[in-house]
Amino acid sequence: MFQSQYKKHVDNTYSFYDTVPPTMGYTLEGSRGPPPFYAKHSPGKGRGLFASRDIKRGELTHDGTNTNVMFPDVSSWRRFVFSLPRNRACDIIDWTWTQQIENNSDEYGIFSAINISVLHNGGTGYDANVNPRSPTSSKFYATRDIKKDEELLTDYFIYDVAWEEVGLL
């Protein structure tokens, strides 16, 4: 539903083709299969992502480069959100973030992911075990060794919160 609504209300040329269904993620760069995580209930947090195998420090765990969507403007984001059923609109609002477009730039974009990668829950300090290496990157790497079935947590504050910059405040 999210993909068809994105194409209908934001960008009808966007291609979501992937051999891995969005409920499993997407085809991770350098592999033929999904990323090393799966979704399940996280006590006290709702849904979350968990390691499907042991993951080594420095290993790529998520590549949003080709799977994240950037909304060209606030109007397209609103059209998209308002086209969804209320419960799904609430999900997308939770799964939307602002991100600096380029290093040392004042330009920000509105981003979301339309697959299970949006289920990364937040963590701080040692608990945050997957993060991008810069505030403009959409590639997440393990910051330490992660055991199979351990929850993948990211520092939500790695990206600047710039809602005003994109016209959403």
Side-chain angles (χ1 to χ4, degrees), residues 72-145:
D73 53 52
V74 70
S75 296
S76 63
W77 181 81
R78 285 186 175 124
R79 279 192 312 276
F80 174 68
V81 170
F82 292 136
S83 75
L84 300 170
R86 186 176 296 225
N87 62 338
R88 295 294 157 239
C90 289
D91 285 340
I92 283 294
I93 290 169
D94 280 346
W95 301 336
T96 298
W97 67 93
T98 60
Q99 183 177 331
Q100 198 174 15
I101 305 294
E102 295 177 12
N103 283 324
N104 304 317
S105 167
D106 290 335
E107 187 178 357
Y108 289 84
I110 304 169
F111 289 84
S112 191
I114 303 180
N115 59 49
I116 68 168
S117 68
V118 298
L119 300 179
H120 278 106
N121 280 320
T124 58
Y126 184 78
D127 289 338
N129 53 17
V130 296
N131 275 321
R133 292 183 173 155
S134 81
T136 58
S137 177
S138 294
K139 291 183 177 187
F140 284 57
Y141 296 87
T143 59
R144 60 175 173 77
D145 289 347

Side-chain angles (χ1 to χ4, degrees), residues 7-34:
K7 287 186 80 140
K8 181 178 179 181
H9 295 281
V10 180
D11 182 356
N12 65 356
T13 65
Y14 195 90
S15 174
F16 287 101
Y17 176 77
D18 197 326
T19 56
V20 175
T23 53
M24 291 179 62
Y26 51 88
T27 302
L28 187 63
E29 174 187 300
S31 76
R32 293 178 181 222

